Amino acid sequence: MAAASSLLSEDHFLCSICLDVFAEPVTVPCGHNFCKSCITEHWDISVRCECPMCKKQFCSRPELHVNTVVSEMAAGVKELSGGSERPGAQPGDVPCDVCAETKRDALKSCLVCLASYCETHLEPHRRVAGLRRHKLIDPVENLEGRVCTKHERPLEMFCKTDRMCVCQVCAVTDHKPHHVVPLEEEYGGRMAELGATEAEVRQMIQERRLKIEQIEQSVKLSREDADRRTAESVQAFAALIQSVQRSLAERIDTIQEEQKTTEAQAEGFVRELEEEILKLTKRSAELQQLSRSGDHLQFLRSFPSLNPAPPTKDWKKIRVHSSCGRTAWKAAAQLEETLSKELKKLCADAELKRVRRYAVDVTLDPDTANPYLILSEDGKRVKCGDVRKNVPDNGGRFSSCAVLGKQSFSSGRFYYEVQVKGKTKWDLGVAGESVSRKGENTLCPENGYWAIWLRNENEYRALAGPSVRLLLKSKPKRVGVFVDYEEGLVFFYDVDAAEPIFSFTGCNFTGKLYPYFSPCPSDGGKNSRSLVLS
C-alpha cells in the first residue's frame, strides 16, 4: 500500500516538460506547475507565451515564484522513491515486475502495461495478438514517467515546436498544428548531430596536438637560431677593445632574454593547449557515453542540457618564432664611434651569413614572362630583346617587361641572389600571386609588390609608395633578397659589400609570394645585359 501511494504521489509531482519530479516548481497563472528551468527555457524558444498544458496564452511573461508547498512535497516524493530515475539502465539493472520470489533481470519494459518482464514473463507479449501491439523498449525504471500524465498513453512522439515529448493523443489534439515526429526519428536526428559534434571535438583535439608539435619545433629552431646569433655576437665583439666589453655582455643578455621570452610564451601556449585538450577530452568522453545510450527518452532529456564545446582559443594565427631582434651588424652600428670599420665588416658578414642559410633555388617561369623577354634554357638568366616572341597570351603573362620565379612561398623564410652587374636599369623583389599582370603596374606594397629598382645607372629607389631614394656607398653587383613571411619582412643586401640596402617591415602577406624580376628594356644596347640568378 505504501509503495502504491508512493507511485501515485510521484505521478502527481512530475513536470510535464521534463517528465521528472519537480525541481524548483513554479505555478503559472492558469494553475499548472512546472520546473522553473523547464518553463523558462520553453518560453525562451516559444513564439507565444502560453501554458504547455492547457495552452492558455498570457499577455506578458508571468513573474515566476517557487511554490514552496509543492517543492516540499516533491522533495518528499523523491525521498520516498529513493531518488530520480537512473539514466541509461541496462539489462540486469531492472528486475522483473512479475517474478514472485527471486527477481530475475527484465529483458523488456512495456509502455502500455507499465511493467518490466523477464524472458519467461515476456512470452505472452510475443504470442498473444493483442499484446504484440504493445510498445516494448529496453528495460527501464520509473515507467510512469514515460506515460502522458494527461492521457495515460506512452510518450511516443516529439513536438519540435514546443520541444517536448508527447503521446499520440496529444499529437492530434493539443499539438495538432505543431511539427510532431516519432520519438525514434528525433532520436536519430539528435544522434547524428551528436556524432557530428563528437567528430568536431576530436578534430579540435587533433589540431591542438599538432599545434603543440609545431610550437615545440618552433622553440627548437628558435633555440638553435639564438645559439647561432650568440656565437656571431661573441665573434664580432671579440674584436673590440676593453672599453666595449660591457656592450658584448649586454648583447648576449639581450639575446638570452629574447629566447627566454620566446620559450616562456611557448610554454604558456602549450599549457593552454593541454588544458583545452583535457577539457575537450572530457567532453568527448561525455559525448561518447551519451552516444552509446539506447534509451531514446533519456537521451532527449539529457540532450538539451548539453553545453556546446567548451570555449577555446582560435589557434590558427598563433605562432612562435625566433625573434628577429637586433642582428649583429645592427647592434654594432649603435656602438660608440670608437668601433672600427673592421668590426662593422665582421658584423655585416655575420648577418649576411645568417640570412644565406635560407637560400633557395629560384628559376624563372616562362609562362609569366613578357613576350619580349629572353630566358635561358636553365631559367637562370633573363634580358629584354627587340623582337616579340610568338607565345600564348595567357592570363598570367605580364604585359610589362617582367617575369616571376617558378617557386612560390607562403610561409617561413627564403633568400636568393641576383647578379645585376653592368645594367643601367632593373627591378627586383617579391610579388603576390594576385598582382595585376596587364598594363603598366605601379610597383608598391598596396599593389602587392615589395621591390627596389635602378634607373639612370645610379639612381636607386625603394618602391614603398611613395618611393624612397637610396643613397648607397657603392654600386651593387649582386643583390640579395631575404623574406621572413610570418614576420612580414623583406630585406635587400649588397652582397659584395655585405651591407644592407633597404628593408620593408610590418608587411601583411596573404597568399603566395613569388620572386619578381624586370631586366627593363635594352635602351639601345645600354641595358642589354642579363639579370642572372646566382
Side-chain angles (χ1 to χ4, degrees):
M1 183 69 69
S5 175
S6 175
L7 290 174
L8 179 63
S9 299
E10 184 175 352
D11 185 60
H12 285 79
F13 290 95
L14 294 179
C15 172
S16 61
I17 297 178
C18 68
L19 302 179
D20 206 347
V21 178
F22 289 126
E24 290 189 291
V26 294
T27 305
V28 297
C30 60
H32 291 109
N33 296 307
F34 306 93
C35 297
K36 184 176 182 180
S37 60
C38 293
I39 191 63
T40 301
E41 182 180 354
H42 175 75
W43 283 343
D44 286 342
I45 62 178
S46 179
V47 177
R48 295 172 297 183
C49 186
E50 63 180 17
C51 174
M53 291 290 291
C54 64
K55 302 303 177 183
K56 178 177 177 61
Q57 296 188 21
F58 310 116
C59 297
S60 59
R61 181 180 289 198
E63 186 177 356
L64 301 176
H65 300 282
V66 176
N67 188 323
T68 56
V69 175
V70 176
S71 179
E72 291 175 359
M73 296 177 71
V77 168
K78 285 184 179 179
E79 194 173 323
L80 286 172
S81 62
S84 59
E85 174 188 352
R86 289 179 295 172
Q90 301 295 325
D93 294 340
V94 181
C96 176
D97 291 328
V98 182
C99 292
E101 296 179 357
T102 303
K103 295 284 188 179
R104 284 177 289 182
D105 295 335
L107 185 63
K108 292 288 182 180
S109 295
C110 178
L111 292 179
V112 178
C113 303
L114 298 183
S116 298
Y117 302 101
C118 64
E119 186 171 4
T120 301
H121 294 114
L122 184 65
E123 188 272 337
H125 279 75
R126 295 170 174 170
R127 175 174 48 84
V128 179
L131 295 179
R132 284 204 300 265
R133 291 194 294 268
H134 287 191
K135 180 68 174 179
L136 297 176
I137 63 173
D138 289 335
V140 294
E141 296 175 325
N142 190 20
L143 285 167
E144 292 78 9
R146 298 172 179 271
V147 177
C148 176
T149 57
K150 185 176 181 181
H151 303 107
E152 297 185 353
R153 296 289 299 275
L155 296 170
E156 300 177 300
M157 310 297 289
F158 185 82
C159 177
K160 286 181 170 287
T161 305
D162 292 334
R163 304 181 70 83
M164 60 186 298
C165 299
V166 297
C167 69
Q168 293 280 5
V169 178
C170 291
V172 296
T173 55
D174 299 341
H175 298 264
K176 184 176 181 179
H178 296 174
H179 185 193
V180 180
V181 298
L183 206 63
E184 291 81 358
E185 180 180 331
E186 182 67 12
Y187 173 84
R190 294 297 178 89
M191 282 295 289
E193 184 179 345
L194 180 68
T197 303
E198 184 181 355
E200 182 181 356
V201 170
R202 288 197 302 266
Q203 178 64 25
M204 293 171 69
I205 292 174
Q206 183 62 28
E207 290 174 354
R208 278 147 183 78
R209 285 175 175 162
L210 180 60
K211 177 58 70 173
I212 288 178
E213 293 179 4
Q214 294 174 349
I215 290 176
E216 290 175 344
Q217 179 64 17
S218 298
V219 172
K220 178 182 177 182
L221 296 176
S222 176
R223 186 179 297 110
E224 292 174 355
D225 189 61
D227 292 342
R228 285 192 293 265
R229 290 190 292 125
T230 300
E232 292 167 0
S233 299
V234 171
Q235 181 183 4
F237 280 95
L240 295 176
I241 59 175
Q242 187 64 33
S243 63
V244 296
Q245 287 297 318
R246 176 177 54 85
S247 298
L248 172 58
E250 292 176 352
R251 173 60 179 165
I252 295 175
D253 289 342
T254 299
I255 294 173
Q256 293 176 344
E257 284 299 321
E258 290 173 353
Q259 179 57 22
K260 288 179 181 178
T261 301
T262 299
E263 293 187 1
Q265 181 190 41
E267 290 174 358
F269 287 159
V270 170
R271 282 195 299 271
E272 288 185 49
L273 285 163
E274 289 175 342
E275 289 173 0
E276 289 188 9
I277 287 175
L278 287 175
K279 293 177 182 178
L280 292 169
T281 302
K282 182 179 179 182
R283 178 52 50 85
S284 177
E286 293 172 352
L287 294 174
Q288 289 178 3
Q289 181 180 1
L290 185 58
S291 67
R292 289 194 293 269
S293 173
D295 186 342
H296 301 173
L297 182 61
Q298 186 61 32
F299 172 85
L300 293 175
R301 284 178 181 171
S302 303
F303 194 92
S305 65
L306 289 177
N307 294 325
T312 55
K313 183 184 291 187
D314 181 4
W315 291 95
K316 294 180 180 178
K317 297 183 179 180
I318 302 296
R319 293 183 176 86
V320 176
H321 311 287
S322 60
S323 173
C324 283
R326 294 185 305 161
T327 52
W329 63 264
K330 285 186 177 180
Q334 298 177 14
L335 291 178
E336 299 175 12
E337 294 182 356
T338 56
L339 294 177
S340 65
K341 292 183 179 180
E342 181 62 25
L343 172 62
K344 293 181 180 179
K345 176 65 176 176
L346 288 172
C347 293
D349 287 343
E351 169 65 8
L352 189 58
K353 181 180 178 181
R354 184 181 72 86
V355 300
R356 272 181 158 177
R357 288 196 296 269
Y358 302 100
V360 294
D361 185 20
V362 175
T363 54
L364 302 171
D365 185 0
D367 292 334
T368 65
N370 178 274
Y372 283 94
L373 293 184
I374 302 173
L375 278 62
S376 63
E377 292 185 2
D378 61 0
K380 293 291 187 178
R381 295 172 175 266
V382 59
K383 66 180 180 179
C384 188
D386 297 325
V387 179
R388 178 185 174 90
K389 296 194 295 294
N390 184 19
V391 293
D393 187 14
N394 59 61
R397 192 178 300 281
F398 281 95
S399 59
S400 59
C401 187
V403 62
L404 295 179
K406 281 185 177 181
Q407 294 72 23
S408 64
F409 306 90
S410 56
S411 64
R413 301 165 178 170
F414 62 95
Y415 172 84
Y416 62 92
E417 293 180 357
V418 184
Q419 182 176 306
V420 297
K421 181 180 179 181
K423 293 191 65 63
T424 60
K425 298 179 182 179
W426 49 258
D427 303 347
L428 291 176
V430 292
E433 182 179 24
S434 61
V435 295
S436 174
R437 305 185 188 186
K438 305 301 179 183
E440 292 297 327
N441 297 319
T442 300
L443 304 186
C444 63
E446 288 74 15
N447 292 339
Y449 295 91
W450 293 266
I452 62 174
W453 74 14
L454 167 66
R455 294 293 185 270
N456 304 320
E457 295 190 39
N458 57 11
E459 183 182 337
Y460 296 91
R461 285 188 175 272
L463 307 177
S467 63
V468 177
R469 180 72 180 269
L470 303 176
L471 302 177
L472 306 182
K473 296 180 180 179
S474 59
K475 190 173 182 178
K477 297 178 182 179
R478 284 186 298 163
V479 175
V481 183
F482 171 71
V483 178
D484 188 325
Y485 193 98
E486 281 77 17
E487 293 294 338
L489 303 175
V490 182
F491 283 87
F492 296 88
Y493 297 93
D494 181 341
V495 177
D496 296 299
E499 292 185 351
I501 296 177
F502 185 78
S503 63
F504 290 92
T505 59
C507 308
N508 184 23
F509 299 133
T510 56
K512 297 178 180 178
L513 288 180
Y514 290 84
Y516 171 80
F517 312 90
S518 175
C520 296
S522 62
D523 196 14
K526 294 181 181 179
N527 190 42
S528 60
R529 291 220 179 174
S530 299
L531 289 177
V532 181
L533 280 66
S534 299

